[in-house]
Amino acid sequence: MQTLHQPPIEPAFVQNPYPFYDRARAAGPLFHWADYNLPCTTTHAATNAILRDRRFGREPVDQLPIPDHLRPFYAVEAHSMLELEPPRHTRLRALVLRAFTNRRIKALGPEITQLTHDLIDGFPDGEHDLLETFCRPLPVTVIARLLGVPEAMAPDLLKWSNAMVMMYQAGRTRGDEDAAVRATEEFVAFMRGYVDQRRADPRDDLISSLIAAEEHGEKLSTDELITTCILLLNAGHEATVHSMGNGLNLCLQDGHRPGADPAPFVEEIFRIDPPLHMFTRYCYEPVEVQGHQFQRGDQVGLLLAAANHDPAAYPDPTHFDPARTGPAQLAFGAGLHFCVGAPLARLELQIALPILFQRCPDLRLTAAPEYADIYHFHGLDRLEVAR
C-alpha cells in the first residue's frame, strides 16, 4: 500500500481535492494517508464494499479516551444511531423510521415549494450571498417545521449546528471544541424542555411522532430522542446546505439547468461534488479487502467523493451528465448506515432548484466562490450572486 502526504487544510486541497483523489486512486484501491495515519479507499468498489460489510462498523473496538472538557459533546454522541451498531442501532433506526416516514417527507412538498418562493421574494435587489438568502434558511426552516420547533428558533439551530459539526473538521482547535460543547449544552437544554412539552401536549410533528413510536414494546428514551433530533438537524441540514451550494455553484459556472425531471439532475449534483468526503469505519474481525489485511480494531477512511469520481464506475467523472448510468453514487453512504435523511435532501433540491432558475433565469455569479476550510465536509464559504 502506497503512502501519500496531503495536509487536509492546505488551501489548494480545500478548494479542489479531486486531483489528490486521482493521484491516490492511481496508487491503488487503498492507500495510506500519512496525515491521518489511516488506510483510505479510493475506488467505488472498495468504498461500497466496506460500507456494506458488517465486519466493519462505526463503534470503536476499544473505548476511546474522552477528555473531560468534551464529555458533554460525547454524552450526546453516545445515543446517536450514526455512531452505533446492532442491536442498539437496529432498534433506534426502526423507531426513527416509524416516525420519519416517506409519506411524511413527501407531504412536505407543498411547504418546500411555498418556502422556496417566499425566500426568492425576499431576495435583495443587488448582490447577495445565496448561501445566506437561500441555501441555509430553506433546509433549517424545513427541519424546524418537521420537528415542530418554532421557526423563530432557526438562527439558534443554525448556530448550534454549525458549532457542533466543527468537531469533525480537520485541524479543529480547542476554541472549536469549547464552542461545540457550549452549543451541545444549549441545544440539549432546549430540546429537553421541548420534549417535555410535547410529552404533555402532543402535536402533529416529528417530535410527537418520535415520542409515540414503539417497536416491540420499546420506545425512545428522552436522551435518545434528544440526540435523534439533534442528529436529524445537524447531519441533514449541514449536508443539504453544502449540496445545494455546491450544485448551484456548478450550475452558475457551467450553465447547467434541471430538466423536466429534476431527479437525475439532483443525483448528479450529489455525485459530482458531495457534501461529505470522508467517513470512517472500524474493523471487527480479520478481513482482507483489495489485497490489504485488516485486523480487529483497525480504522479505515472511506473517501466517498473519490468513489464518486472513480472512472471505472463513472466514465469521464468530472463531466456533469444527468443522463449517465452506473452504480448508485455514495454521497449518502450505503448499507446499514445509509442516510435516513436522503429522501428529504433529494426532495428539497428537486423542488427548490427548478423554481429558483424559473424565477431567476438571469441569476449569475458576481465573485469567484471559495470552499470553506471544513474538511471532511466540503461546502462553500460564500456564493455571491445577482440577477
Side-chain angles (χ1 to χ4, degrees):
M1 184 186 302
Q2 189 170 336
T3 296
L4 298 177
H5 295 262
Q6 175 57 66
I9 59 174
E10 181 182 83
F13 173 81
V14 169
Q15 295 308 311
N16 185 7
Y18 296 103
F20 171 70
Y21 297 153
D22 292 342
R23 181 159 62 96
R25 196 182 304 105
L30 289 159
F31 76 102
H32 184 262
W33 195 339
D35 304 82
Y36 284 101
N37 193 26
L38 272 183
C40 294
T41 62
T42 63
T43 65
H44 188 282
T47 306
N48 187 52
I50 293 178
L51 282 170
R52 297 178 182 276
D53 194 328
R54 295 292 299 277
R55 294 170 294 183
F56 292 86
R58 287 289 294 165
E59 288 187 45
V61 170
D62 299 311
Q63 180 96 24
L64 299 177
I66 298 175
D68 287 343
H69 73 285
L70 292 180
R71 290 193 182 279
F73 178 85
Y74 286 106
V76 171
E77 292 283 283
H79 300 290
S80 172
M81 61 182 173
L82 185 65
E83 307 297 338
L84 298 172
E85 293 299 310
R88 194 173 175 202
H89 172 272
T90 306
R91 171 182 159 271
L92 280 174
R93 190 175 178 105
L95 286 166
V96 169
L97 290 178
R98 278 183 173 270
F100 198 54
T101 62
N102 282 335
R103 185 176 67 175
R104 181 185 289 273
I105 292 167
K106 288 179 181 178
L108 291 169
E111 286 197 54
I112 296 171
T113 298
Q114 186 59 54
L115 178 59
T116 300
H117 283 291
D118 292 344
L119 290 171
I120 295 170
D121 288 342
F123 282 176
D125 292 332
E127 295 183 16
H128 58 102
D129 179 3
L130 200 59
L131 295 183
E132 291 296 331
T133 59
F134 192 72
C135 300
R136 290 192 179 109
L138 191 148
V140 75
T141 303
V142 170
I143 286 284
R145 291 178 180 178
L146 182 66
L147 290 173
V149 173
E151 289 181 38
M153 288 297 300
D156 289 311
L157 297 176
L158 274 173
K159 179 185 69 175
W160 294 332
S161 175
N162 291 338
M164 291 179 72
V165 298
M166 292 299 281
M167 286 292 291
Y168 304 103
Q169 175 191 335
R172 75 185 190 215
T173 66
R174 175 59 187 263
D176 294 329
E177 294 176 345
D178 291 342
V181 168
R182 284 194 301 272
T184 301
E185 292 174 328
E186 291 173 8
F187 205 162
V188 167
F190 167 74
M191 286 305 307
R192 194 173 298 279
Y194 211 76
V195 166
D196 288 343
Q197 290 181 31
R198 283 292 174 265
R199 286 194 192 279
D201 181 20
R203 303 285 179 87
D204 183 20
D205 56 41
L206 185 59
I207 292 178
S208 299
S209 295
L210 287 169
I211 291 170
E214 189 169 359
E215 179 81 3
H216 303 305
E218 291 193 50
K219 293 191 174 187
L220 292 166
S221 70
T222 298
D223 286 341
E224 289 170 341
L225 182 58
I226 290 170
T227 294
T228 297
C229 292
I230 291 174
L231 172 64
L232 289 173
L233 174 73
N234 289 359
H237 161 259
E238 291 289 332
T240 306
V241 171
H242 296 325
S243 296
M244 194 173 292
N246 295 356
L248 286 169
N249 177 35
L250 182 74
C251 291
L252 293 172
Q253 292 212 49
D254 298 335
H256 304 299
R257 297 293 185 269
D261 179 8
F265 185 91
V266 167
E267 212 61 21
E268 183 71 345
I269 283 175
F270 284 121
R271 182 199 68 82
I272 203 166
D273 204 15
L276 179 66
H277 278 212
M278 181 195 285
F279 217 18
T280 55
R281 291 287 190 272
Y282 291 94
C283 182
Y284 294 146
E285 61 183 76
V287 57
E288 183 177 310
V289 177
Q290 300 286 342
H292 177 71
Q293 187 67 42
F294 287 96
Q295 302 299 326
R296 176 175 166 82
D298 287 351
Q299 194 176 19
V300 58
L302 307 178
L303 298 184
L304 307 179
N308 278 357
H309 275 241
D310 181 0
Y314 309 105
D316 195 9
T318 60
H319 174 62
F320 186 83
D321 179 12
R324 76 164 61 246
T325 58
Q329 53 83 13
L330 296 178
F332 297 111
L336 193 70
H337 286 283
F338 182 80
C339 176
V340 296
L344 179 58
R346 285 174 165 137
L347 183 65
E348 288 176 342
L349 267 69
Q350 288 169 15
I351 291 175
L353 296 189
I355 293 173
L356 177 64
F357 286 117
Q358 289 163 9
R359 294 277 312 271
C360 305
D362 298 324
L363 196 68
R364 68 188 189 282
L365 295 172
T366 58
E370 290 193 356
Y371 287 90
D373 183 9
I374 50 174
Y375 195 82
H376 309 165
F377 283 103
H378 182 68
L380 295 170
D381 187 40
R382 297 181 66 81
L383 188 60
E384 297 289 343
V385 300
R387 52 179 174 148

